[in-house]
Amino acid sequence: MTQPQTLLEQYGPRDAMEYDVVIVGGGPAGLSAAIKIKQLAAAQQREVSVVVLEKGGELGAHTLSGAVMDPKALTELIPDWKEKGAPLNTPVTEDRVLFLTETGAHKTPNALLPACFENHGNYVISLGNVVRWLGQQAEALGVEIFPGFAAAEVLYNDDGSVKGVATGNMGVKRDGEAGPDFQLGMELHGKYTLFAEGARGHLGKQLIAKFHLDQGKDPQSYGIGIKELWEIDPAKHQPGLVVHTTGWPLDSKTYGGSFLYHLENNQVVVGYVVGLNYENPYLSPYEEFQRYKTHPAIKPFFEGAKRISYGARAIAAGGLQSLPKLVFPGGALIGCDAGFLNMSRIKGSHAAIKSGTLAAEAVYEALVAERQGDELSSFSTAFEQSWLHEELHVARNVKPWLSKGLYLGSVMTWIDQKILKGKAPWTLHHSYADHECLKPASQFSPINYPKPDGKLTFDRLSSVFISNTNHAEDQPIHLTLKNASVPVDVNLAKYAGPESRYCPAGVYEFVKTDEGADRLQINAQNCVHCKTCDIKDPTQNIVWITPEGGGGPNYPNM
């Protein structure tokens, strides 16, 4: 029996609250679903109760994205978003796509760019601020929002359908026993439950396994996105400038690239995405990002600038081939929990909003018909007939092509998107999950990364500090190991301990015991909830579970 179950036996039963719809995750998908359900109910003067659970201490606290936003789905959901003050303040003014060598930069002429790289009509945004605004719209419609409550467990009815979720216990000590301020989690029951936890959702992963939602689908393919927010010299600031790069510092076999977007108020966001199907266990996505900022074409933006915030998050980038079945008895996966992001456009927020809206329509239709706990098959049908499906179909071959290396991948992507316009008569597939792609360290040489200078490049711990990450000191470690011996016996011995490099927050480090033996130390306090360890661990021995609600990063303006 696990510790939470023991505590439930000891202190239970849990209090339960009944709703028509329970939504797990207060990001763009979850909030859009809540808003749409309430809009539909208001139009027919019906009462529908909707609750949104958000593990972050406030809405937007855990929201991290580039982000350039296509307003299409938002306009469908809230046509008067401009009048209502949605924080889409900076229209894109220029697209710049650069190919970097170690010392040079080659700009792709805009006339040669495929449509997926064109951002005319889009906005440079802080997705965290958009989420906070969506939260205000949802609350105005009567949605109940509980920030600081992490959904830790899926609850099932006797017939196997999803009944709702339970929030995690609060005040549990490191040893799993109840502390002086212990509080049992509570149950939230819904006729339908929508899961909108973001990429590699903890409960979404369980639902995919339980209901075999990935049967006949490609493995999901992920990237890690690492991002910083800077305030730069006003003389160097160009509101609406969007810069993307490929090439250096990554080798030509490793998929990845950067983004640099100019927001309002002399702020820029700069970030780097590395595909988690990389082979070299010595590679550190965090260090590659730091190195990228030193490039002669990039460094000048940051002269006289100040770094404000830092964060990291995994990105579900497999596209249409990797989308699981979306529905199961009693609920659905929406947003990045399913993997709706369009990798070719490096955009997911419009897809999250659209998927949430489509699911909401299916839920409302079911509630009006007095159904509950069944499969919302009309959601899957509506998605297949939507512009979002068409958009993902056009983009379906981009990630598989780019996985074949920088040069071949770039040429074939250009042909696929510019010449064939995404209508090739074939579909390429992802053959391997990301964790299967790591190769033994014996096949590579260690990468010698330069030391950070503290002005342009930084170490992990000073970065985590400005992510405002915090977890209750004595709580159980939420980065769990299926087998405690695997990190040393397998990961360190065969792969040179890759978790110490792929984690962008310094959570994992190998240290020596007093006897001189190696052991893995897990600094769970540093975790920014990016989920990279859960995805990239070569034996899938690390399982990320929800920490106490309200813990983790607290991103401002990210």
Side-chain angles (χ1 to χ4, degrees), residues 483-497:
N483 181 335
S485 66
V486 162
V488 170
D489 294 353
V490 179
N491 290 7
L492 189 60
K494 186 175 179 183
Y495 300 103

Side-chain angles (χ1 to χ4, degrees), residues 87-160:
L88 281 69
N89 304 321
T90 310
V92 174
T93 53
E94 183 190 342
D95 277 308
R96 207 178 283 173
V97 178
L98 306 177
F99 175 79
L100 302 185
T101 62
E102 192 163 353
T103 53
H106 306 280
K107 183 179 184 292
T108 305
N110 283 21
L112 293 179
L113 289 177
C116 58
F117 291 122
E118 292 170 7
N119 282 298
H120 180 74
N122 299 331
Y123 292 82
V124 182
I125 60 155
S126 153
L127 189 59
N129 290 341
V130 171
V131 159
R132 291 179 185 101
W133 178 84
L134 284 171
Q136 291 165 4
Q137 311 312 303
E139 286 186 319
L141 290 165
V143 176
E144 287 184 45
I145 300 176
F146 295 161
F149 286 89
E153 182 188 345
V154 183
L155 304 173
Y156 298 95
N157 292 304
D158 293 340
D159 64 0

